[in-house]
């Protein structure tokens, strides 16, 4: 008689509300559907997210509150067991880092060990088996995403020192695939003037580096619901399309095909590792 699979705990660490929907939603929904515990940790309040202010209000506390509600709706669609909001202020994507708000510090200004200790506490409390973060580039280079990588790496190190052998996976996208998709989209869609296509030649990870290719097509409905939950991030100033909004409008059959897989890189795995489940290879 087959033994039931061990119940695992997946802690997914993201920079802003909505990041979970794009990179890891299918994996989260799949893990939850298989009976594993999924914990979503979000570093910042998202108060500086680009949004259509005529619809969702100005940036700041009001937008942070809206994005908090959207996060709860997204997590509900994915079967998340617990949400942890670390509460750091959004560092924003402006070239110059803004001063800290009265309510707290920008995430990138929080000392590394201080930020890592808060995440370590979650890992230890949850007895996490796997922690997902980002690659050292932060995917596409956002300062808060880079900080998630740094904080996640340090938190895992602290957890291991305290007896918890957590595995770290970097949520990513094959760079070559992403660039091909952008080039195809450019044939039918006019990107805004500030869009820098060349930056994606250095973004995320090369396909040959990726260790986990997780099939998530069965959970496309949940991923789409998570993306649509973040309505404030569907359009930017003056109603200009944003990536999340465009992707959430893809017709369902094509959506299922485009988002049939999610990708991760285990920096500790030997070259050539090929796995299909975030818990593969655990003791």
């Amino acid at each position: 008689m087959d033994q039931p699979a061990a119940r695992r705990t997946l802690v997914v660490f993201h920079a802003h509300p909505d990041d979970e929907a794009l990179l890891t939603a299918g994996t989260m929904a799949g893990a939850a559907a298989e009976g594993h515990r999924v914990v979503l940790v979000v570093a910042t309040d998202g108060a500086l997210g680009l949004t259509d202010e005529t619809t969702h209000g100005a940036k700041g506390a009001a937008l942070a509150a809206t994005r908090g509600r959207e996060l709860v709706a997204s997590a509900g669609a994915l079967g998340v067991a617990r949400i942890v909001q670390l509460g750091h202020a959004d560092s924003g994507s402006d070239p110059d880092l803004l001063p800290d708000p009265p309510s707290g510090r920008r995430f990138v200004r929080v000392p590394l060990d201080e930020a890592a200790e808060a995440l370590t506490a979650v890992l230890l409390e949850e007895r996490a088996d796997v922690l997902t973060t980002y690659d050292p580039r932060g995917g596409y280079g956002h300062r808060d995403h880079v900080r998630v990588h740094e904080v996640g790496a340090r938190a895992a190190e602290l957890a291991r020192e305290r007896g918890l052998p957590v595995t770290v996976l970097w949520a990513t996208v094959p760079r070559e695939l992403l660039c091909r998709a952008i080039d195809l989209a450019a044939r039918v869609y006019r990107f805004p003037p500030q869009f820098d296509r060349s930056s994606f030649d250095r973004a995320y990870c090369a396909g040959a580096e990726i260790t986990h290719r997780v099939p998530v097509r069965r959970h496309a409905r949940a991923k789409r619901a998570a993306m649509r939950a973040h309505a404030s991030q569907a359009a930017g100033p003056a109603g200009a399309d944003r990536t999340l909004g465009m992707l959430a409008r893809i017709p369902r059959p094509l959506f299922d095909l485009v988002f049939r897989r999610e990708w991760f890189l285990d920096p500790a795995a030997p070259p050539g590792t090929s796995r299909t489940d975030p818990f593969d290879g655990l003791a």
Side-chain angles (χ1 to χ4, degrees):
M1 182 176 178
D2 292 339
Q3 293 295 318
R7 181 177 180 272
R8 302 289 193 176
T9 297
L10 173 67
V11 175
V12 184
F13 185 32
H14 283 287
H16 313 97
D18 85 333
D19 290 330
E20 84 290 342
L22 287 168
L23 285 177
T24 60
T27 301
M28 295 163 69
E34 291 169 7
H36 302 296
R37 182 169 173 82
V38 179
V39 178
L40 173 57
V41 182
V42 179
T44 80
D45 57 10
L48 295 182
L50 298 176
T51 191
D52 183 354
E53 296 184 8
T54 62
T55 303
H56 297 284
K59 296 178 183 179
L63 179 58
T66 295
R67 298 192 70 182
R69 292 189 293 270
E70 292 173 344
L71 182 68
V72 170
S74 170
L78 301 176
V80 169
R82 179 187 178 192
I83 303 170
V84 179
Q85 294 178 269
L86 298 183
H88 303 302
D90 190 344
S91 304
S93 55
D94 292 341
D96 296 323
L97 181 62
L98 297 175
D100 290 338
S103 57
R105 289 170 294 178
R106 305 286 176 204
F107 182 39
V108 296
R109 288 200 178 106
V110 179
L112 179 60
D113 274 10
E114 179 182 335
E117 282 288 358
L119 179 58
T120 302
V122 176
L123 298 177
L124 295 174
E125 181 180 349
E126 294 288 348
R127 304 304 300 171
D129 295 287
V130 173
L131 168 68
T132 75
T133 67
Y134 306 134
D135 61 69
R137 303 175 190 84
Y140 61 94
H142 190 296
R143 56 170 69 96
D144 279 333
H145 289 233
V146 174
R147 197 60 168 169
V148 161
H149 167 80
E150 296 166 348
V151 170
R154 180 58 177 150
E157 182 180 30
L158 292 172
R160 291 169 187 146
E161 289 174 359
R162 298 167 196 178
L164 183 69
V166 62
T167 294
V168 175
L169 300 180
W170 298 343
T172 189
V173 178
R175 184 183 305 134
E176 305 90 335
L177 180 63
L178 178 62
C179 288
R180 286 200 300 272
I182 292 171
D183 291 342
L184 285 172
R187 297 181 181 181
V188 297
Y189 175 78
R190 180 175 294 178
F191 288 101
Q194 67 271 23
F195 180 78
D196 181 9
R197 163 62 181 82
S198 65
S199 67
F200 288 90
D201 292 327
R202 305 178 296 276
Y204 296 99
C205 298
E209 299 175 300
I210 289 171
T211 58
H212 291 64
R213 293 169 172 82
V214 181
V216 297
R217 190 169 184 169
R218 288 189 301 162
H219 306 288
R221 182 183 298 276
K223 184 178 179 90
R224 187 179 177 93
M227 292 168 68
R228 288 183 165 179
H230 294 285
S232 71
Q233 301 305 292
D241 274 340
R242 295 195 65 202
T243 302
L244 186 72
M246 289 188 295
L247 295 177
R249 293 198 306 272
I250 295 175
R252 180 62 195 277
L254 181 58
F255 184 96
D256 292 7
L257 180 64
V258 170
F259 293 105
R260 67 187 184 279
R261 190 175 291 119
E262 290 176 348
W263 300 269
F264 300 87
L265 191 161
D266 180 350
T273 297
S274 180
R275 293 171 175 157
T276 58
D277 188 286
F279 303 118
D280 282 353
L282 300 185

